[in-house]
Amino acid sequence: MRTEHQLQFAPQRYLNSIVDQTKRAGYQFVALVTVSTDDVAHYVPAMAAQSSNLFFRVPERAVLVQAELHEYIEDFSRADHEPVDQNDFGYRHAWRLTLYWECGEVGYQRWLDHWEDEHPNASFAEMSTDVTVMVPDGFHYVGSWGGDHYDEDASCFFRPGRRTGPETIVEAIQVLTSVPQLAADDVFKELLVTGFAPSDIFPGCEPVFTSRFPWRRLRQFARHIHGLPFKPSTC
């Protein structure tokens, strides 16, 4: 019989280390919001699950990065598959980074100036307004709905005790926000927040998430926030 192994989710000191290193890199810490199976059921059978969401802003730029750590322990008694091997006790984890940015008129002009500097012999008709964001090592682009999502490679894997190092997450955030023409405006004129809550893995978690997020702090650099399905008391 397989011996059950007690596994714990990422300790607070692990998340604190990411916050501290990101702040030292020059970013503004905005929030840490956690949702777990203590609040809402997980989307697949699990003994327990947790989503830890860190938010960082690039100072004086309308750029926001959400770093989400999704962890869960599979319930093999209810799952439709077996453990990978005898050392697989069901622990799964992966990071997702989401980039929110707004160009605006000032940002567009800076983008145009940068593009013309890089392409002195090109005509205006050849210009594309699409901004190419660099993808961090160890991540891949998975789509955009409210923000551009980048998932950690080999997600949902068995790797207890060897979580991605805090320095790797900080470096990935730096890569995502390194494009010089990305959001030159100092504040968001409009910010869509429907993608903030981890509703894809915790369906129906929006009221819990909304009640825990410090919306007043967000309003310091976002003039208009859209997509709140539940009015928070802290707005």
Side-chain angles (χ1 to χ4, degrees):
M1 179 181 294
R2 183 170 62 89
T3 301
E4 294 298 330
H5 185 67
Q6 295 298 321
L7 291 166
Q8 294 183 344
F9 294 142
Q12 186 63 42
R13 64 178 180 276
Y14 172 74
L15 299 174
N16 288 345
S17 180
I18 294 174
V19 172
D20 292 342
Q21 291 188 39
T22 306
K23 289 168 65 176
R24 286 199 296 271
Y27 294 80
Q28 176 186 351
F29 173 63
V30 178
L32 166 57
V33 181
T34 299
V35 177
S36 73
T37 42
D38 291 338
D39 307 305
V40 186
H42 193 246
Y43 79 111
V44 296
M47 299 293 289
Q50 180 170 282
S51 171
S52 302
N53 298 269
L54 295 161
F55 294 82
F56 300 97
R57 178 206 176 196
V58 180
E60 299 181 355
R61 292 169 66 191
V63 181
L64 187 70
V65 178
Q66 177 179 358
E68 177 195 1
L69 174 60
H70 174 205
E71 304 174 278
Y72 70 99
I73 302 173
E74 286 205 70
D75 184 352
F76 290 118
S77 66
R78 294 187 292 158
D80 57 2
H81 55 273
E82 297 295 324
V84 175
D85 55 43
Q86 63 179 1
N87 295 315
D88 181 4
F89 302 107
Y91 177 75
R92 307 284 186 261
H93 79 278
W95 280 93
R96 162 172 289 183
L97 302 179
T98 304
L99 180 65
Y100 303 89
W101 60 279
E102 180 181 83
C103 191
E105 293 181 1
V106 175
Y108 177 78
Q109 185 59 54
R110 291 189 186 179
W111 183 91
L112 177 59
D113 292 343
H114 174 81
W115 188 90
E116 290 177 336
D117 288 342
E118 293 293 319
H119 307 82
N121 299 319
S123 66
F124 183 82
E126 295 174 342
M127 185 188 69
S128 170
T129 56
D130 291 332
V131 175
T132 300
V133 176
M134 295 177 61
V135 179
D137 290 340
F139 288 79
H140 59 277
Y141 179 74
V142 293
S144 175
W145 47 94
D148 288 331
H149 294 299
Y150 301 83
D151 281 2
E152 191 172 19
D153 294 341
S155 59
C156 291
F157 48 83
F158 170 67
R159 202 169 66 168
R162 293 192 291 120
R163 298 182 183 89
T164 306
E167 66 283 349
T168 299
I169 301 302
V170 177
E171 290 172 1
I173 291 173
Q174 291 175 308
V175 169
L176 280 182
T177 60
S178 64
V179 182
Q181 67 269 29
L182 186 66
D185 286 353
D186 57 350
V187 298
F188 285 90
K189 293 183 178 67
E190 312 282 340
L191 179 59
L192 184 66
V193 300
T194 52
F196 279 21
S199 54
D200 55 333
I201 55 178
F202 287 104
C205 73
E206 291 90 346
V208 174
F209 184 92
T210 300
S211 68
R212 294 174 179 172
F213 192 92
W215 299 104
R216 288 181 179 174
R217 192 177 303 169
L218 189 68
R219 289 189 182 279
Q220 293 175 5
F221 56 87
R223 295 173 184 167
H224 299 285
I225 298 174
H226 301 285
L228 287 177
F230 302 94
K231 182 174 177 57
S233 60
T234 56
C235 251

